[in-house]
Structure formats: C-alpha cells, structure tokens
Amino acid sequence: MKTESRSALLRPELERIRPYHVPVSDGMLKLDAMENPYGWPAECLDEWVKVLREAKPNRYPDPASRALKQSLRKADRIPDSAELLLGNGSDEVIQILLMALRPGSVVLAPEPTFVMYRQIAESLGLSFVGVPLESDRFCLDLSATLSAIEHHNPALIFLAYPNNPTGNLFPRAKIDAVLSAAPGLVVVDEAYAPFAGDSYMDSLRENPRLLVMRTLSKLGLAGLRLGYLSGAPHWLSEFEKLRLPYNIGCLTQLTAGFALDHPDMLQAQVNAIVSERERVMTELGAIHGVTLYDSAANFVLIRLPFGQATSVFEGLKAAGILIKNLHPQGGLLTECLRITIGTPDENARLLSEFRRLTG
Ligand SMILES: *Cc1c(COP(=O)(O)O)cnc(C)c1O
C-alpha cells in the first residue's frame, strides 16, 4: 500500500500530532521526569516478592481491582460517597474522560500545563482551549479564565494542582471561582499530591461536578502505571463503560496494593524529597541570574537569562545529567528549565555542574 493512501484511511488529526518524545537516558542521572529517586529497602523487596508469588498470571486480573481500590481509599482518604475509576497511569484516565465527551466538545485548561491534556483532546478531534497563565509567577489568570469559560462553554476543564511544569498551587479562591462558573466538569489533577500539602479530595462531597485525579507515578511507582479518578458515581459509572475490562494487570494490582499498605516507607521518601526540594531551591536561588518559582511538587522550575537555558541544558547533558529543557516550548516558558528533585548526592552533583556552567 502506498503511503499516500494513509490520509484516505486514518483520522485527519494524526497528521498534525507529533509523537510524544522521550529522550534516551541510559546511564544518565535522570532528573527530567519527576520520578522518585529511591528504591525499596531489601527487606521490603523480599516481602514484595512473597506477595508476587500469589499472582496468577494464567488468570485474568480482577476487572474491578477490588482489593487495590480498598487500599487506595484508605491511603488517600477518599470520601465514601465517591466512586473510583482506575487507569493504566493517569494518562489513560485522561483518555477515558475525553473519549466520553460529545464530538465537538471544548476542553479548557490554563497553559503552560501538562501537555497530555491538549495532546489527547486533539487526538480525539476535540477542541482544546489554552488560557495563558499570568506571565510573572504563572498564577491562574482568573478574569481570562472566566471569560474563556463564558465564550467557549467548555465541557471539561483541567486544573493541575500543583501545576506541571510550573510547580505552583493556584490559589483556592481562584479554583473555587472556576468551579462555580464551569458549565461542565472540572478535573483537579493532583499528580503531585504527596508533595503538595493540600488537596481537593474533601471537596468532592460538596461539588458534584468536581473530579479529582491522582497517580502513583510521582509517589514512586512510575514503572507500574496506575492512576485513578474519584468523583460522583453518577459520572464515574458512565466513564467506567469506556474502560477496557482488564486495563490494570495482576502485577500492578498486587504491587500497588503492597506499596500502599506500607505507607511509612513511601512517606519517609516523600519527606526526604520535600526537604531536599527546599535545599535545592535555596541553593539555586542564590545563583546569579537564576529566577526561581514556587514549588509544591517534586521538581523546581527556573528561568535563566536570555540565551542560556539550552546551553546549560546541553552542558548538563554532556556531564551525564538529564533535566527538562522547556525553552523549545517558547512563550511563557522561554529560557525555562525544569529540574526533578533527586537524592542528596544527585542534587549535589546537579548543583555543582550547574554552578560550573553558569559561573
Ligand atoms: C506526570 C503527570 C501525570 C501523568 O501521570 P501518569 O499516571 O504517569 O500517567 C498527570 N498529570 C500531571 C499534572 C503530571 O505531571
């Protein structure tokens, strides 16, 4: 078949979509993807392997992930009145949510934000409206958001709390104003909840159009792929119809349940990451020319003087350290870099190379 005939068969959206690019990172210090840098202690690994011996890979997994849902409810204090939908990462939850919308629907989010909202919306032929954040500190621009809501009547609004790649929590008063004005659903994406110290989980009780999305990826289980949505059963029962029955494999169900049932280990890792975040921010902020932004996540966003972001990014890469260069995205992210918090040794290495390159 000739390649020209692709456009006769495939969705027109595919011609405009660029594949999601993940850089090769073999042998590098990975500070680019908000992973937890810590592994599990040996005793814990032994216990985990014992749990995995109970797995039955010859059988289909529990399609309702009942045991895992109980562990999630307990670990994340999900209100009893809320229902849960599990996805193979929150990326899949986003896909399920957007597949449920009527064709022609508008999806709205502030920008810059998590790129998969736009990517998945456009791949499904939906319209995506991005409302620019305020240019000085990346705060939600409430008046622009409210006029965009009025103008575009979005079926669904995404608010990442805290936001990626900027790291900040939007003020609750602004989010509450968006919740009141929204004509449709509002998804508060709490991917960084373990590091944030605040959550909309309790607000699910009062607000039937609010949905809270979480993932275990940033907590320390990025390789497993588990994300979830919580919200009113009225909505979740419809989304559930689009979930493929066995999307959460038996190894993920057992491993995630095991990890959630050992909250102390994960909490100790989170505490270490949060205290390192404060140290890294203090040290980066003291470097001449670095503009530092607030972070309630496990990464920090910085801006460098004109012309420096890409050269510092390349210099770090040559030294074996991978961070995220946001400069190519342009706009508000011009000259911006995003650095994931690692272990104390990893952060020390990053800071010393960073000083060498900017000094
Ligand atoms: C990382 C991230 C996700 C995706 O998480 P997965 O569960 O790994 O798919 C979702 N939302 C935000 C804001 C993120 O930063």
Side-chain angles (χ1 to χ4, degrees):
M1 196 184 273
K2 280 192 284 182
T3 50
E4 297 84 77
S5 59
R6 288 195 315 202
S7 61
L9 293 181
L10 305 184
R11 302 164 65 101
E13 292 82 14
L14 292 177
E15 284 187 30
R16 293 192 300 273
I17 294 172
R18 276 181 288 146
Y20 187 78
H21 172 70
V22 178
V24 177
S25 58
D26 300 347
M28 295 188 79
L29 169 49
K30 261 189 117 278
L31 299 177
D32 66 324
M34 285 78 88
E35 290 145 330
N36 175 337
Y38 298 105
W40 295 355
E43 325 83 80
C44 201
L45 289 175
D46 290 342
E47 245 191 279
W48 173 42
V49 170
K50 269 189 223 143
V51 168
L52 289 184
R53 289 183 70 105
E54 305 296 313
K56 295 192 180 66
N58 56 316
R59 301 290 178 192
Y60 282 104
D62 175 8
S65 299
R66 282 164 302 173
L68 174 54
K69 280 184 182 170
Q70 281 316 313
S71 301
L72 284 167
R73 283 186 179 280
K74 186 155 168 259
D76 287 357
R77 292 199 222 107
I78 299 162
D80 290 339
S81 59
E83 192 44 83
L84 295 186
L85 170 89
L86 306 196
N88 187 24
S90 36
D91 289 349
E92 192 189 39
V93 173
I94 297 168
Q95 191 179 48
I96 291 171
L97 270 168
L98 297 183
M99 281 196 303
L101 300 180
R102 287 175 162 264
S105 294
V106 171
V107 177
L108 184 144
E111 274 190 317
T113 192
F114 186 50
V115 293
M116 296 312 288
Y117 307 148
R118 178 187 277 277
Q119 172 107 358
I120 297 173
E122 292 183 343
S123 75
L124 292 169
L126 301 169
S127 305
F128 183 90
V129 173
V131 182
L133 292 171
E134 290 172 1
S135 58
D136 51 349
R137 305 299 302 176
F138 300 113
C139 195
L140 190 69
D141 185 337
L142 185 59
S143 63
T145 305
L146 294 179
S147 12
I149 289 173
E150 196 169 313
H151 190 249
H152 296 285
N153 195 34
L156 188 145
I157 299 172
F158 283 109
L159 295 171
Y161 188 76
N163 190 39
N164 172 14
T166 57
N168 54 326
L169 290 166
F170 302 137
R172 282 191 86 105
K174 290 190 178 184
I175 294 186
D176 293 343
V178 170
L179 278 166
S180 309
L185 296 165
V186 177
V187 179
V188 173
D189 180 351
E190 299 189 339
Y192 300 95
F195 314 97
D198 196 31
S199 169
Y200 270 81
M201 199 63 91
D202 285 335
S203 309
L204 286 176
R205 292 176 225 273
E206 300 106 61
N207 202 318
R209 288 182 184 177
L210 171 65
L211 301 166
V212 173
M213 188 165 66
R214 292 237 184 136
T215 174
L216 299 191
S217 294
K218 313 305 162 46
L219 178 65
L221 299 167
L224 272 194
R225 311 303 298 132
L226 186 78
Y228 73 86
L229 187 73
S230 53
H234 175 76
W235 293 110
L236 279 271
S237 57
E238 295 306 300
F239 304 145
E240 187 66 21
K241 296 176 187 170
L242 290 168
R243 184 181 65 82
L244 297 176
Y246 302 115
N247 65 330
I248 312 297
C250 64
L251 300 182
T252 298
Q253 291 189 31
L254 286 171
T255 305
F258 171 80
L260 293 167
D261 296 342
H262 290 72
D264 295 348
M265 177 187 72
L266 292 174
Q267 191 56 49
Q269 297 181 346
V270 166
N271 294 349
I273 292 166
V274 169
S275 87
E276 275 297 292
R277 174 183 79 203
E278 300 310 306
R279 182 179 77 92
V280 169
M281 289 177 76
T282 307
E283 299 207 20
L284 282 174
I287 296 172
H288 181 72
V290 172
T291 304
L292 185 68
Y293 297 95
D294 289 343
S295 174
N298 62 343
F299 62 87
V300 288
L301 181 77
I302 57 171
R303 193 191 301 276
L304 295 184
F306 180 77
Q308 286 191 22
T310 296
S311 66
V312 168
F313 168 78
E314 293 295 344
L316 289 171
K317 198 157 119 184
I321 303 174
L322 190 63
I323 62 165
K324 177 78 178 176
N325 183 10
L326 297 164
H327 179 72
Q329 293 186 27
L332 294 179
L333 296 173
T334 300
E335 302 298 345
C336 285
L337 298 173
R338 188 190 66 196
I339 303 168
T340 302
I341 303 299
T343 65
D345 286 349
E346 292 172 349
N347 300 331
R349 204 177 130 196
L350 176 270
L351 287 164
S352 111
E353 287 299 334
F354 195 97
R355 285 193 196 96
R356 183 180 63 81
L357 291 162
T358 54

